[in-house]
Amino acid sequence: MCTKLYEIAVRGDVDALMALLEEDPVILTRLITDFHENPIHVAVMCGHVDFVARVLSIKPELASETDLAQSSTLLHLASAGNNAEMVNVLLKVTADACKAIDRNGNIPIQVATMKGRVEIMQLLIDTCTESIRVLTSRKETLLHLCVKYNRLEALRLLVPLFLRADNDDNPEFVSVNSSNDEGNTILHLAVAMKQTEMIRYLLRKRDNLPEQERDNIMAVVGAINNINSNGFTALDILMQNPARDLNDVEIGDLLRNSGALITREQQLAVSPTHGHPRLRRVGGCNENCNEYDNWLTRKHNVLMVVASLIATMAFEAGLNPPGGIWQDNSVLKDHSGKPMHLAGTSILADNAIHIHFLYMISNTTGFLASLSIILLLISGLPLKKRFSIWILTAIMWVALTCTASTYFITLSSISARHLSKHGAPPVEVLKGWFITWIAFISILLFVHFLRLMSKRKASERN
């Protein structure tokens, strides 16, 4: 009989249900004491509103029954779906289910928040307002769940409803700046997960805010430098990412423009200066650090792109030397009886071994130099000092010089050395251009060295 009821629940056939009740009037009563899967849960998941409403009108106790898999009530299942009418029916029967906890420790509004069911969330809030203060097992508020599951519209619904001032005396108090068990606020999470739209929403300027959101959003800005259990601010978390992209740059601008600092800057800002000229500048560090971070990001991005391009070119050049490779073994033998050349070896190596040697040295050096830059940039090392950038730039100069050298060697190896009727032989012209390039790089390197020394002397005088 239960199997028949299960099939009727899948179809949502109310007439068949009433006919079954005439055959077995206590079939719904037996569901309360039955430990097997409840067909009413199946009807809720299938969205059969009329069927569920009729069953609950006959046996309202079934609204509080949980399934075996997740200990979910009918309201949990309906909240995870997208049927607000079903939720409304269930709330009319048992509003207390708003506080029921499933096996994962979640109440229905938390399930709806994870799924981003804004209309259902509104129904649950209207029925049980205090449910927005319930925390998860990891001390996460509903706002944490919005950020964690990227539910911006749900966040827009909830923010105006949260209390507008912190209250440390009440451990159950929740606000827009409440922390989870790791000390992370919603801003920490949004930055860690690179939720740019949410960060932009949380850090909007006061003039652009509706009245009901103004205090809440400004509270986020006021606590923008909160430190989590690991000792990181939101900006620290952003800076921990070794491979930064344009999205990171935008997030960094949003944070800096709202007054965000790294932990180190906060420590300097609150420490006594005693007239020290370097510490007196901390008050104006925000704007300067923002400009420096932007410069640093642009520099890293340029170095990464150029190094990747040079590495690709050098790799291809190593596999395809000028003149190509022999396609088969030579039929001619040397004095030892071995073939004059072997298939797969470089033609240039057999015809001009010294040029091939220079070519391989130059190409390999450029390849390894570019790989070194890529490795340093993705290694996570603190390459934030200008001296570190100078070192990376110097390695880049080596890679570029080797690339130019490889190019000139390639052209010289494939140029006809006997064509000199209309001027200097091509090889001599190429040598002249290469010497000019080396001179240019040397002058540029010398100028940068002088700038570095002058800045160091200036800093020592200060």
Side-chain angles (χ1 to χ4, degrees):
M1 193 66 72
C2 287
T3 302
K4 191 172 183 179
L5 178 59
Y6 184 89
E7 295 173 353
I8 293 173
V10 172
R11 299 197 308 269
D13 192 337
V14 177
D15 294 336
L17 171 66
M18 300 310 296
L20 184 61
L21 285 173
E22 290 181 2
E23 297 177 19
D24 186 357
V26 296
I27 188 171
L28 295 180
T29 303
R30 284 202 300 272
L31 292 178
I32 298 176
T33 57
D34 194 355
F35 289 98
H36 296 288
E37 188 173 20
N38 195 325
I40 309 305
H41 289 80
V42 177
V44 171
M45 289 188 288
C46 293
H48 300 314
V49 178
D50 294 337
F51 182 88
V52 173
R54 180 61 64 89
V55 170
L56 294 181
S57 66
I58 300 171
K59 206 67 178 175
E61 299 93 325
L62 289 173
S64 301
E65 291 298 304
T66 60
D67 65 0
L68 292 177
Q70 297 294 332
S71 297
S72 300
T73 64
L74 299 182
L75 192 56
H76 280 96
L77 298 176
S79 299
N82 198 21
N83 194 332
E85 187 180 359
M86 179 71 75
V87 173
N88 201 25
V89 168
L90 295 174
L91 289 175
K92 290 178 180 178
V93 176
T94 171
D96 292 338
C98 288
K99 301 178 182 178
I101 300 175
D102 64 11
R103 185 165 295 174
N104 296 321
N106 298 319
I107 62 174
I109 193 172
Q110 291 170 340
V111 175
T113 302
M114 295 176 192
K115 294 291 186 177
R117 313 301 189 196
V118 177
E119 186 178 358
I120 293 175
M121 290 170 61
Q122 187 64 66
L123 289 174
L124 295 171
I125 292 171
D126 293 340
T127 304
C128 185
T129 306
E130 59 269 23
S131 63
I132 68 172
R133 301 192 183 97
V134 177
L135 305 179
T136 67
S137 58
R138 298 189 60 186
K139 296 184 179 180
E140 295 170 316
T141 66
L142 293 180
L143 298 180
H144 284 92
L145 296 179
C146 290
V147 177
K148 187 175 180 179
Y149 292 91
N150 194 20
R151 308 298 183 186
L152 180 57
E153 292 305 316
L155 186 73
R156 294 180 188 273
L157 170 68
L158 292 171
V159 164
L161 304 177
F162 272 69
L163 301 178
R164 290 176 168 79
D166 288 329
N167 185 353
D168 296 332
D169 297 330
N170 183 1
E172 296 183 356
F173 182 86
V174 294
S175 73
V176 290
N177 291 319
S178 294
S179 302
N180 62 11
D181 59 354
E182 295 180 346
N184 290 318
T185 65
I186 56 176
L187 189 59
H188 282 99
L189 283 185
V191 172
M193 302 181 72
K194 298 186 179 182
Q195 305 286 11
T196 309
E197 290 301 321
M198 288 194 177
I199 296 171
R200 185 180 291 110
Y201 172 76
L202 293 173
L203 300 181
R204 288 179 300 166
K205 295 183 179 179
R206 187 181 184 92
D207 297 339
N208 300 331
L209 299 178
E211 187 65 32
Q212 68 271 22
E213 297 183 19
R214 186 165 295 177
D215 293 339
N216 274 319
I217 299 296
M218 293 310 294
V220 175
V221 177
I224 194 172
N225 292 315
N226 280 11
I227 299 176
N228 65 10
S229 302
N230 294 322
F232 294 146
T233 65
L235 189 57
D236 283 321
I237 292 176
L238 180 66
M239 296 301 181
Q240 294 299 312
N241 185 11
R244 303 186 62 189
D245 52 24
L246 294 178
N247 194 30
D248 293 322
V249 174
E250 183 179 359
I251 293 174
D253 290 340
L254 290 171
L255 291 172
R256 284 295 191 182
N257 292 336
S258 298
L261 300 171
I262 60 175
T263 306
R264 174 68 174 167
E265 292 169 354
Q266 290 192 72
Q267 293 171 348
L268 290 175
V270 299
S271 62
T273 61
H274 301 295
H276 196 286
R278 296 187 64 161
L279 293 183
R280 282 201 303 267
R281 293 196 293 268
V282 171
C285 179
N286 191 11
E287 182 177 352
N288 293 334
C289 289
N290 186 24
E291 181 180 353
Y292 177 73
D293 282 341
N294 291 337
W295 175 84
L296 189 66
T297 301
R298 291 194 300 269
K299 200 74 172 179
H300 281 178
N301 290 340
V302 169
L303 289 172
M304 177 64 78
V305 171
V306 176
S308 300
L309 181 60
I310 292 177
T312 303
M313 294 169 55
F315 182 81
E316 290 293 332
L319 297 182
N320 298 284
I325 59 177
W326 295 109
Q327 301 300 313
D328 52 14
N329 294 333
S330 175
V331 295
L332 301 177
K333 309 292 184 179
D334 59 13
H335 63 278
S336 61
K338 295 180 180 180
M340 296 293 292
H341 62 259
L342 299 175
T345 58
S346 172
I347 297 175
L348 180 64
D350 289 322
N351 295 335
I353 184 63
H354 62 286
I355 295 180
H356 180 265
F357 178 76
L358 292 176
Y359 174 83
M360 296 304 296
I361 290 294
S362 178
N363 188 65
T364 303
T365 303
F367 181 67
L368 294 179
S370 58
L371 288 185
S372 299
I373 295 173
I374 296 173
L375 180 61
L376 288 172
L377 290 176
I378 67 175
S379 64
L381 295 176
L383 303 174
K384 297 182 179 180
K385 300 295 184 181
R386 287 186 179 270
F387 183 76
S388 301
I389 298 298
W390 192 89
I391 294 297
L392 289 174
T393 304
I395 299 175
M396 179 58 70
W397 287 344
V398 173
L400 288 172
T401 301
C402 289
T403 301
S405 175
T406 303
Y407 173 78
F408 287 127
I409 293 173
T410 300
L411 287 186
S412 66
S413 66
I414 63 177
S415 297
R417 292 170 172 78
H418 62 283
L419 297 179
S420 57
K421 297 179 180 179
H422 304 289
V427 174
E428 298 301 323
V429 176
L430 293 173
K431 287 182 179 179
W433 279 111
F434 183 68
I435 293 173
T436 303
W437 169 263
I438 294 297
F440 173 73
I441 289 295
S442 301
I443 294 172
L444 191 61
L445 183 63
F446 182 70
V447 171
H448 275 277
F449 178 77
L450 292 179
R451 287 183 58 199
L452 182 63
M453 291 297 101
S454 62
K455 288 183 178 180
R456 177 162 294 187
K457 290 181 180 179
S459 63
E460 290 176 354
R461 286 196 298 269
N462 293 333

